[in-house]
Amino acid sequence: MYRLVMFDMDGVLFDSMPMHAKAWSRTFEGTGLDYEESKVYLYEGMTASAYVAMLFNIGENDPRCREICARKSEILKSLPEPVAMPGAFEALAAVKETGVPAIVVTGSAHTHMLEKLSRAYPGLLKTEWMVSALDVKRGKPNPDPYLAGAKKAGVDPCDAIVVENAPMGVHAAHAAGCRVIAVNTGPLPDSSLLDEGADFLFHSMKELSENIGKIIEMSSELL
Ligand code: MG
């Protein structure tokens, strides 16, 4: 049944969401935007340009949108680099043991983070099948990123399982026809993930690492 595991990056493989939250808040200072930091978790998974376009009610091709995204990217780079999410290495190692390939599907376009993946998780990810914001026109909550990941891997989306921490990411994976494991690593209630169609729910990557092997094995018994 599962022939591919697709991992989201921010809030799943890297403990990066607090940095994104800080960077966005600083970016919006002085813009007059009525902004609350919690929005970053609600809309996590969207590409930066889609997020800014939505908040300011402007087009993604509007020069202001590009300028704001560039500023956010600069601010993010000036903050300390996020660390690997505790338990993520073990979770990827558990997937590797099953023989099922693991890839990353992210709304991020931060190339320095994408490069950091290979250093943090050497040999555990099929980096050539990775999908970032640069690969799709429509980001999460549209199914496109997960459809693109499955396509790159040559796997039917129904045969893939996704690991996500964000409601919009769960929505995207569910809409793509994949099974979804939600790992709630942020401040939102569990219902925000279950309501979008999560099939399994854990509260840490460590907890996931102890169960993902069983979930994959169970699926092969169903064949
Ligand atoms: Mg995420």
Side-chain angles (χ1 to χ4, degrees), residues 57-117:
N57 200 18
I58 55 177
E60 282 189 56
N61 290 323
D62 191 308
R64 280 178 298 163
C65 183
R66 283 203 286 269
E67 191 261 320
I68 292 168
C69 291
R71 197 180 338 144
K72 187 260 180 171
S73 198
E74 282 309 306
I75 293 171
L76 187 71
K77 271 190 225 160
S78 74
L79 296 175
E81 276 211 2
V83 294
M85 186 66 90
F89 187 92
E90 289 78 3
L92 284 172
V95 173
K96 184 156 186 141
E97 221 161 277
T98 67
V100 176
I103 68 166
V104 170
V105 175
T106 175
S108 175
H110 296 284
T111 44
H112 69 291
M113 289 304 300
L114 307 181
E115 284 158 17
K116 206 181 157 182
L117 275 170

Side-chain angles (χ1 to χ4, degrees), residues 120-140:
Y121 303 108
L124 297 177
L125 290 162
K126 278 265 188 196
T127 45
E128 63 271 34
W129 293 341
M130 167 167 182
V131 175
S132 78
L134 310 170
D135 292 291
V136 287
K137 281 206 182 79
R138 300 188 314 162
K140 304 168 189 178

Side-chain angles (χ1 to χ4, degrees), residues 8-12 44 164-166:
D8 171 49
M9 182 174 77
D10 289 301
V12 170
E44 185 195 341
E164 259 291 349
N165 71 309

Side-chain angles (χ1 to χ4, degrees), residues 10 16-31 33 35-38 40-41 48 51-52 55-56 67-82 110 112-113:
D10 289 301
S16 43
M17 285 312 294
M19 303 297 177
H20 282 288
K22 199 178 278 182
W24 279 122
S25 293
R26 280 196 203 164
T27 303
F28 297 142
E29 273 169 21
T31 61
L33 181 74
Y35 182 74
E36 279 170 38
E37 199 174 285
S38 61
V40 88
Y41 294 95
Y51 186 51
V52 169
L55 291 175
F56 288 86
E67 191 261 320
I68 292 168
C69 291
R71 197 180 338 144
K72 187 260 180 171
S73 198
E74 282 309 306
I75 293 171
L76 187 71
K77 271 190 225 160
S78 74
L79 296 175
E81 276 211 2
H110 296 284
H112 69 291
M113 289 304 300

